[in-house]
Each structure stands twice: as structure tokens, then as C-alpha cells.
Amino acid sequence: MTRPLLEVKDLTKEYRGIPAIQNVSLTFEAGRVHSILGENGAGKSTLTKMIAGAVHPTRGEILLDGEPIGFSSPGDALRSGIAMVFQETSLVPSLTVAQNLFLGDEKIFNRLRGLYISAQQLLQSLNFPVDPGALVSTLGSAQRQMVEIARAVRKNARMIIFDEPTATLTPEEKQHFFDLLDRLKERGVAIIFISHALEEALAVSDTITVLRDGEHVETDIATNFDRAKIIRDMVGRDLSSQLYDQEGKRRARPYGEKILSVQNLSMGRMVHNTSFSVYAGQITGVFGLIGSGRTESFKVVSGVVKRNFFHGGIINLLGKAIRYRTPSPAVKDGIAYVTEDRKVEGIFETMSIAESIDIGAMAASKHRSWFVNRRKMNENAAHWSKTLSVRSIDNDARVLELSGGNQQKIVIAKALVQNPRIIIFDEPTRGVDVGAIAEIHEVIKDLANQGLAVVVISSYLPEILSISDRILVARQGRVVEEFSAEEADEEKIMYAAVH
Amino acid sequence: MRSFLHNLNQERIVFLLFLAIFVAFSVILPGFLNANNLVLLLQGISVLGILGVGLCVVVIGRGIDLSMVATMALSVAWALQLNIDGMNLYLALAIGLGGAVLVGLANGALIAYAEIPPLFATLASGACVYGFGRLALIHSDLVYVTPAVGDLTLLGQGRFLSIPMPVIVFAVIAVIVGLVLRYTKFGRFTYAVGDNYATARVSGVPVRHVILGQYVLTSTVAFVAGITQAMAVSSMNTRISDTLLIYEVILVVVLGGVGLSGGRGGVRNVIVGTLLIGTFLNGMTILDVQYTTQNAIKALILLIAIIADTLVNPRDEQTAQHGDI
Ligand SMILES: Nc1ncnc2c1ncn2[C@@H]1O[C@H](COP(=O)(O)OP(=O)(O)OP(=O)(O)O)[C@@H](O)[C@H]1O
Ligand SMILES: [Mg+2]
């Protein structure tokens, strides 16, 4: 066996005296994909951030080529050849894709045309359909991710850490991404891959490590693992319930009252003349590729964006025509929207869990009360933390200090506490671990059983198929096809979404 | 104590700094630690403190109000002028307050509805308030308080249990604003808007109304500060809008740890910042240090506070913002 590229020894990170990672020792080799798996809050991000210099270890050593290293910042790590692809956030939104790719390289920066040509070449070589001249702020999350990856590749990194890279990608983009991983491997790049999609991890990894509660459980070559074993290692027991089962096929809920009807809705370049309805007491799944306008259509419904002023179409809520300019009246009317982009419009970083949830509750309350109800606030927080099993270091933890999956649960709780009539989940299980996905799906099904109109927008077909009673497929800004749960299958939906 | 040190943040650092300076001055400056001087000290910073408490509301909401001092000066000068011209005192005060509220509404509307950045919106509105007010509403830069105001002068010059009234006004305003920020929906929404505007909006917070409310509250507090000031010195000099006072107000707000990035801090931070600046100014005055030198030292203090904060709180938590956790 060759000498490992990077080694961590007895690495520990404590927050306020409580370990997030405890005495973890691992080795990473060049040209291999090493997956790190574990539940939400197991410490995956913390571990990899220490390697990438974004977090400083409390104890322990990191050795690169056998030499101990102590990076003071991610930039520092990058200079030593270790890049980390975070989700979405380290790009400068006001610059173009090309400028972001070459940020810090003033030499090329001076010749703008050269900059765009090199960017174009780089993106093409990676097979990424991104316009180098586009502003990053106009890109969707998948495309931002591609820019991040392209940047790491350009820096000739020897090790690239991907923290949940596939969560925002459509199946086709995922395929591109895995091809890319293969090419990186051939170039001898060591890859750390974090994902909650266990099949993906099994398919792409050479080595798999499982963490639980900050401790190392097992490391082995990937072929010695299967799904059940990983889950057993992750949670410490068997999880009986089968995820993404197709029970919906047998017991689709019947149509309830027509709560929402949308006719000829148009919004900018994203939504063209689309029409659809949503019924109470069932789950309407919405599938579509990037650019299909699925998110935007529902953002119009919930007042987050405005439809076109002229020929914008008609939206009826319980037979009453509505036109919201902001989400506030929509929320009061019982429409809640759970965003797909939690960093940008889902969380309050400085607030505690209870305070965050309480903002949602107060925004929806029809009471003319002017005051905060502390008791109610704590009750709500306790209730939802339990229902969604939110995990944090302590109850006063700020949302920023939660792991990604747990932040997602807070975003969901903040909407559920509003007691909506219609609730729109946009990628509800993004970044959430297997156990929690099952729990969140349970909650979603419960809502439908209670008579709510539930909309689930997802780019993950198995999720759509397992949870929906009715499936809408969007393409190029409009809903083009509708399936009942009985007739739908992956092939039909994919065909409708693409052609 | 251990946990106190463990949780050092800017507010605590500034508080320790305040204690250190206070003790140092008590030891080296004859006449500092003397009841009379301490009362003077407090009186000297009351108006600054009131303004700071008002400003912190918009700063928490990730805004800023550069028109605050102009609003204070002109609304009060107008009220005094109306009174001099023969209007009933309380009607005049109500009209002055109405003027301040209008400025707040205008600021809020420019920022919330026209979506102009607060810095520019209030810079422009401040200039308008001063220019227009000076031209149309009052006759001279300096408007005197006439004996017609009667007992209202007590607000500036009176004492209650031997505490000067301006200090009491400061305390009352601080308590009211503190309670509003902590225990009302409006207060919590202000933090939400300052923390993350997009999240607040999507969650259904009526963000525009909240912003409107913030600027109205700030302007209202400015009016109160102005009345206190005018009664204390028996006049209102509208030229005060042209001074560096507004930067001093921003200094006490930021110094105490109300982050300009929004969503952080509260009235307590402003009080701590005000105490530090007050003690310091008082000491400098006893030492007879020049005004420019005082300014330079003030700037230095701000810098030290910010650097100390960065050193004591390693940026681990902050780096978490660089990506998915
Ligand atoms: N800045 C912080 N302050 C306090 N606690 C933190 C901080 N960052 C992480 N933690 C805690 O450390 C633990 C591990 O978090 P980490 O983000 O590494 O989990 P993860 O395995 O990446 O989870 P996920 O799958 O949800 O992303 C969590 O309990 C989290 O609450
Ligand atoms: Mg994570």
C-alpha cells in the first residue's frame, strides 16, 4: 500500500465543551473516492471542514504527505491543494461566472475576453451547461454548484471535498457529476464525498467511513457494505421501514375539495401560461428539470414573487381570486411555502431554534396581540423539535450552529407552526439523513390525512413516486402532464419532463 | 466568572474597558470620582444615549438613519418656533412630533417600498429635512426656548431624587425601547428582518410595515432627545445637523456591539457603549484634552473594541457561514 495523501489522527472538535467530532483517525489516498456517511449532526461537515481549514481542531493532528499541517483558512488549504466544495455559498453573487472562476488571478482578469474564453473551455471540458457571462446571482443552485466544482478543478486541487454535492442536482446532472468524479480520480485526485443518498455513495466510493455521534464507527472498502449495513452502522440499529416504498401506488388518497386553481399563469421568462389545480387531503407531487418553472409557479402562488402584471393569469384560492404582492397576506390566508434554498431564504442565523419557529408562528397568527408569548414559544419549539427530531448541542443553540439537515428541519417547523391550509414543500428532504427523511415523509403524509392540501416539489423521482397521490410534470415553464399515482412510473414522468 | 470570561463578546469587552477606564480615572484624576462630577458625566451623555437607543432599532433591522440628528433638530425647532409665534405649547409639540413621525414614514417608505439603500435614502432625507425646515419653518438657525414653555424646562434642567431629568429620560426611553424589542411582535420582527430579510419575507413577516415602524420609532425617539436637549440648554441650534453628532451616535451603537450587519445586539449594548464614551469624554475634559485629539482617541477605541472582539471570539462559528454545515 502506498503512503496516504492525507491522514487525520485522533482529531477532536468541541463546541462549548461538547464534542462534535471525537478522536477520529482516518487516511485518504490519492485517486480514490472516500465517502463519509452518518446521520444529521454526526459530524461529517465538521470533520471535513477541519481538513479544509475552515474549522480549527480542538485536538489531534492532520498530516499531508506525512507532514503535520495547520491551515488557518480555506484559502490556505487551497494553496496546499485541498479544496472544499461547499453548498452554494462561497461564490460572489454580483460577479459573473467567469469572474468567479478566476477570482484572485488578476493576470487573466485584465484581459476580459481571454477570461471568458478560458472559462468557457473549462466549463465545456467538464460538460457543465453554464454561461460564463451570466451573473452568479441569476443561477440556480445546481449551476452554482457546477461553478464551485469547476473552480476547484481549475485550482488543480490534489484533494477535493464534496459536502453533499448531489443534493441540488437533477438525475442527468448527477450523471455528469459522477463522470466528473471518475475523471478526477484518473488524475489522481483524492476525493471525499458526503451524501445522504446511500446508493450514490455505494456506487461511487472506493472506501466508506461511517460516523455516529461524532465517533468513528467503521471504515472499509465499499464492496463490503450494503445499504442495510450502512444504516445499521449509522443509527446503531436496524431501520425497518423501507424508504421510498411504493405504497402510494396502492392507496392513493381521494381528491378533496379543490383548494387552489391556477389558470394561464405567466411570470417573466420562467413561467408561461401554466394551469393546474391542487386539492385538499392529498399530496400533489411536482416534478420537473431545472428551468421547468416548477418552483417559480408555486412561488407566485405563495406571493414570494409577483406574476406578470398584464396577462399574468388567474389564481383562485377556494374560489376567490387572489393576487399577492408579498408572502405576508398569503401566509395569513393559509398558504405556507417551505423554500428549497434554506441559506438564502430559509433560516435566521443568529436566532435560537425557538425564536426562529416563533417568527413563523407570529407571522401567521390572526390574533391582534402585540406581544410575544414566551411560554407558547417554548412549547412550540419543544413540540416541533420532538416531532422532527431536531438534534443540537443544547436548546439554546443558534440555528447557525445546527448541522445542515437539522437546519432544514427548522425551516419545515417554521412553516408547519403556521397551521396552513395549503403547504408547499420545495425539496423538503434536501440534506436530510435516511431516518429523518422517513420521519419528514411521515409528517407530510399526516398533513394530507388531516385534510391539508400538500404540494411536494422534488427533483428526486423516487421521492415523488413514493409520496404523491397525484403527479404534475412541468417543462419549460408550464405543467405539461398530470399522472395519477397508479399510472405513474419513472419512465413516463421522465419522458414528460424532457420531451 | 469563568463563564463570563468564556463568553466574552464585544459588549462584555466594552463593559470591562469601561470599568478599567473608570477605575483608572478614579485613581489618577482628582475630582473624577466625586458625586457631582459623576452626575455631570451622566447628564453629558444622556442625549447621546437617547439618540443611540433610537438608532439601534434601525441598525438591528439592518438599516441606518443618517437623518436622525436633522430630524431631532428641525422637529423640535419647529415646535419651539410655533410656540414663539403664539401657538399653544402642547399643540406645537404635537405638530413637531408629527413632523418627526412624517420624516420617519418617508424614510421607511423610501427604504421599504422604493427599495433605496438606507444609507442613501436617509442621507438625502436628512439634507432635505434640514434644508426645507430651515427655509420654511423657522426664522433663524438658533431657536430659543421662551419662558412660555413653563415647567417643560424641568425636563432638561430639573432633578428627580437629585438625578438630573435628562438621565431619567434616557433611562425611561431605554427601558421602553428595550421592552419593545424584546417582548413585542414588532421587536422580534425587527430582529428577523435584520437577520435575514428574505427569510423574514418568505415566512410571512410583513417586512415593509416592520421597516416603516422602525424608522418611525427612531424618529420619535429623536424628537424626545431633541426636546430634552433643548430644555437643557434653553435653545435648539439647528446647525447641529451639520456636526459630527450623527457619527458619534453611530459610534456608541456600534461600540457596544450592535452589529451593523443586523439582527444582533440590543439596548443594553447601546448603554454600555454610551457609558464608555461618556466616561472617556468626561476624563478628557478634566484633563483638558483638545477636541481633535479626543476624536482621534475615540476612533482608536472603536478600532480596539472591534479587534478585541475578533481575537477573543475565534471565527469558527463565522466560517460556518462559508457553506453547508
Ligand atoms: N458552530 C457550531 N457551534 C456549535 N455547534 C456546532 C457548530 N457547528 C456544528 N455544531 C454541532 O456539531 C454537530 C455536528 O455537526 P455537523 O455539521 O458536522 O453534522 P453533519 O454530519 O454534517 O450533519 P448533516 O448531515 O446534517 O449536514 C452537530 O450537533 C452540530 O449541532
Ligand atoms: Mg453537513
Side-chain angles (χ1 to χ4, degrees):
Chain A
M1 210 171 94
T2 54
R3 190 173 69 174
L5 174 72
L6 188 129
E7 197 175 351
V8 301
K9 271 190 187 158
D10 287 326
L11 210 54
T12 299
K13 174 68 195 180
E14 291 176 356
Y15 288 106
R16 279 180 257 141
I18 300 160
I21 275 289
Q22 204 171 10
N23 295 327
V24 171
S25 302
L26 286 173
T27 58
F28 301 94
E29 278 142 45
R32 314 205 86 203
V33 177
H34 192 144
S35 287
I36 298 183
L37 307 176
E39 286 184 291
N40 292 131
K44 308 178 292 295
S45 300
T46 307
L47 173 65
T48 46
K49 277 183 184 168
M50 285 191 278
I51 296 174
V55 165
H56 302 295
T58 311
R59 277 189 299 279
E61 267 192 314
I62 303 174
L63 308 170
L64 180 67
D65 294 324
E67 300 286 324
I69 47 171
F71 299 127
S72 54
S73 71
D76 211 10
L78 196 56
R79 276 184 287 279
S80 301
I82 299 180
M84 179 150 181
V85 178
F86 298 109
Q87 281 198 346
E88 308 163 18
T89 46
S90 60
L91 300 175
V92 184
S94 57
L95 295 183
T96 64
V97 169
Q99 286 167 335
N100 264 290
L101 283 175
F102 292 91
L103 210 59
D105 287 304
E106 265 64 36
K107 207 170 64 205
I108 311 176
F109 203 15
N110 286 335
R111 297 182 303 137
L112 272 185
R113 253 174 60 79
L115 176 75
Y116 286 104
I117 292 171
S118 329
Q120 180 75 42
Q121 283 167 350
L122 175 64
L123 290 165
Q124 245 161 28
S125 74
L126 297 170
N127 222 338
F128 288 166
V130 184
D131 170 15
L135 286 182
V136 164
S137 56
T138 65
L139 299 183
S141 34
Q143 286 175 313
R144 287 187 194 203
Q145 174 123 36
M146 294 176 189
V147 178
E148 290 249 14
I149 296 171
R151 190 163 64 171
V153 170
R154 198 188 75 81
K155 295 273 186 186
N156 282 326
R158 297 165 68 198
M159 168 178 251
I160 304 184
I161 301 167
F162 293 99
D163 194 350
E164 300 189 31
T166 51
T168 52
L169 302 186
T170 60
E172 201 183 347
E173 290 164 344
K174 271 183 202 164
Q175 202 44 57
H176 283 317
F177 175 74
F178 294 137
D179 293 345
L180 172 73
L181 280 192
D182 283 339
R183 266 174 287 152
L184 291 175
K185 264 173 73 170
E186 277 161 28
R187 293 198 209 171
V189 178
I191 290 160
I192 300 183
F193 179 76
I194 299 176
S195 173
H196 287 294
L198 305 182
E199 282 76 14
E200 271 171 32
L202 281 166
V204 303
S205 330
D206 300 300
T207 313
I208 290 180
T209 289
V210 180
L211 300 178
R212 187 198 316 150
D213 294 335
E215 289 179 56
H216 179 242
V217 177
E218 183 162 17
T219 298
D220 207 342
I221 51 172
T223 44
N224 287 349
F225 280 96
D226 60 24
R227 193 188 155 82
K229 178 171 162 51
I230 294 177
I231 293 180
R232 217 177 311 126
D233 284 347
M234 274 170 58
V235 300
R237 65 192 148 83
D238 283 305
L239 262 194
S240 54
S241 85
Q242 172 69 27
L243 203 53
Y244 304 131
D245 58 2
Q246 306 275 313
E247 68 148 339
K249 279 226 178 301
R250 279 169 282 116
R251 287 188 265 117
R253 293 173 193 82
Y255 286 49
E257 189 184 359
K258 189 196 257 187
I259 294 235
L260 182 78
S261 106
V262 172
Q263 280 152 37
N264 304 325
L265 182 74
S266 292
M267 194 278 291
R269 283 188 301 171
M270 295 308 292
V271 180
H272 304 294
N273 221 2
T274 186
S275 303
F276 55 87
S277 303
V278 174
Y279 300 87
Q282 60 167 212
I283 301 172
T284 305
V286 182
F287 181 81
L289 304 181
I290 299 254
S292 63
R294 50 189 184 146
T295 292
E296 289 77 8
S297 302
F298 282 94
K299 276 192 166 176
V300 173
V301 169
S302 52
V304 178
V305 294
K306 285 185 278 192
R307 71 186 109 151
N308 290 355
F309 192 74
F310 295 109
H311 306 298
I314 302 168
I315 303 177
N316 280 311
L317 179 70
L318 288 168
K320 199 178 99 222
I322 51 168
R323 180 185 277 273
Y324 300 121
R325 285 177 187 80
T326 64
S328 170
V331 166
K332 287 229 160 60
D333 283 351
I335 304 179
Y337 172 73
V338 179
T339 180
E340 64 171 332
D341 203 340
R342 64 170 171 262
K343 272 261 136 60
V344 173
E345 53 183 27
I347 60 169
F348 297 113
E349 292 187 338
T350 60
M351 293 197 183
S352 72
I353 295 171
E355 286 169 340
S356 302
I357 296 176
D358 199 42
I359 293 289
M362 288 192 297
S365 98
K366 296 189 186 69
H367 289 292
R368 286 229 153 254
S369 161
W370 289 59
F371 299 100
V372 176
N373 184 339
R374 293 256 153 191
R375 194 175 49 84
K376 189 94 175 293
M377 170 171 118
N378 290 326
E379 273 172 20
N380 274 336
H383 172 72
W384 288 110
S385 298
K386 190 158 159 278
T387 313
L388 299 172
S389 47
V390 176
R391 241 208 267 177
S392 63
I393 279 190
D394 55 35
N395 284 331
D396 294 329
R398 293 182 299 156
V399 174
L400 182 64
E401 298 168 351
L402 299 182
S403 75
N406 285 306
Q407 290 180 356
Q408 178 67 18
K409 294 177 193 171
I410 302 299
V411 179
I412 292 177
K414 188 157 56 63
L416 290 181
V417 77
Q418 302 186 321
N419 277 325
R421 238 192 314 237
I422 159 167
I423 182 159
I424 301 157
F425 290 99
D426 203 346
E427 305 285 359
T429 54
R430 177 175 286 174
V432 169
D433 71 45
V434 275
I437 288 178
E439 282 162 17
I440 290 176
H441 280 179
E442 258 341 285
V443 170
I444 291 178
K445 286 176 194 162
D446 259 3
L447 293 172
N449 291 339
Q450 287 163 25
L452 267 75
V454 182
V455 176
V456 176
I457 305 172
S458 173
S459 40
Y460 191 47
L461 262 179
E463 174 163 57
I464 290 276
L465 281 168
S466 82
I467 202 170
S468 315
D469 301 309
R470 191 173 147 254
I471 297 165
L472 306 178
V473 182
R475 166 162 44 90
Q476 291 175 352
R478 55 192 305 183
V479 172
V480 289
E481 201 108 30
E482 177 175 340
F483 298 98
S484 69
E486 291 83 12
E487 59 185 355
D489 62 33
E490 291 212 14
E491 218 169 305
K492 283 187 194 159
I493 294 180
M494 234 16 225
Y495 188 85
V498 177
H499 293 92
Chain B
M1 192 64 200
R2 235 198 87 83
S3 79
F4 183 87
L5 283 179
H6 214 74
N7 288 315
L8 269 186
N9 55 27
Q10 195 171 331
E11 181 193 342
R12 289 178 182 184
I13 294 166
V14 170
F15 188 68
L16 290 180
L17 215 58
F18 156 68
L19 287 182
I21 292 187
F22 192 90
V23 170
F25 281 176
S26 309
V27 174
I28 59 171
L29 289 184
F32 177 82
L33 195 64
N34 142 331
N36 253 336
N37 181 54
L38 292 184
V39 165
L40 223 67
L41 186 161
L42 280 177
Q43 187 162 13
I45 54 170
S46 298
V47 171
L48 185 63
I50 299 171
L51 287 170
V53 168
L55 187 69
C56 89
V57 176
V58 288
V59 173
I60 288 170
R62 205 184 291 188
I64 189 87
D65 187 355
L66 297 182
S67 72
M68 198 180 182
V69 171
T71 308
M72 157 181 111
L74 271 298
S75 61
V76 170
W78 188 26
L80 294 176
Q81 185 74 59
L82 287 173
N83 184 231
I84 291 172
D85 294 347
M87 189 184 280
N88 168 290
L89 174 66
Y90 292 99
L91 188 57
L93 286 178
I95 290 178
L97 177 61
V101 168
L102 271 182
V103 176
L105 279 174
N107 282 337
L110 285 175
I111 292 157
Y113 291 88
E115 298 184 359
I116 301 171
L119 204 63
F120 304 128
T122 58
L123 187 65
S125 75
C128 286
V129 166
Y130 177 62
F132 169 78
R134 176 65 190 79
L135 271 181
L137 303 179
I138 55 176
H139 308 323
S140 62
D141 279 337
L142 195 63
V143 184
Y144 286 103
V145 173
T146 58
V149 304
D151 283 349
L152 197 64
T153 46
L154 290 180
L155 205 59
Q157 296 168 6
R159 285 186 178 224
F160 180 75
L161 300 175
S162 75
I163 302 170
M165 279 306 282
V167 179
I168 292 182
V169 178
F170 177 25
V172 169
I173 292 288
V175 167
I176 293 176
V177 173
L179 290 178
V180 165
L181 283 176
R182 252 181 116 94
Y183 294 110
T184 67
K185 254 192 198 179
F186 166 75
R188 299 319 305 171
F189 284 171
T190 295
Y191 279 94
V193 168
D195 181 307
N196 189 334
Y197 180 87
T199 304
R201 186 172 175 275
V202 170
S203 308
V205 173
V207 284
R208 289 176 163 170
H209 298 170
V210 172
I211 291 176
L212 226 51
Q214 286 164 11
Y215 284 89
V216 169
L217 181 54
T218 299
S219 294
T220 307
V221 174
F223 180 77
V224 175
I227 290 289
T228 316
Q229 162 83 6
M231 295 307 143
V233 300
S234 298
S235 67
M236 175 50 82
N237 186 349
T238 52
R239 284 271 156 158
I240 200 173
S241 325
D242 277 344
T243 63
L244 292 176
L245 180 59
I246 186 65
Y247 299 103
E248 235 159 82
V249 180
I250 296 174
L251 174 66
V252 298
V253 171
V254 175
L255 189 61
V258 181
L260 284 172
S261 56
R264 258 167 271 237
V267 169
R268 237 182 33 203
N269 302 69
V270 179
I271 294 175
V272 170
T274 313
L275 281 178
L276 177 64
I277 288 297
T279 313
F280 161 80
L281 288 180
N282 184 275
M284 293 292 126
T285 312
I286 295 179
L287 281 172
D288 213 6
V289 176
Q290 260 197 340
Y291 185 65
T292 6
T293 321
Q294 288 193 12
N295 271 344
I297 299 179
K298 253 185 279 176
L300 203 65
I301 294 183
L302 179 63
L303 212 61
I304 292 172
I306 292 172
I307 294 171
D309 181 42
T310 322
L311 288 182
V312 177
N313 297 312
R315 288 294 159 195
D316 271 17
E317 277 79 8
Q318 251 59 24
T319 46
Q321 293 174 349
H322 282 289
D324 174 62
I325 307 183

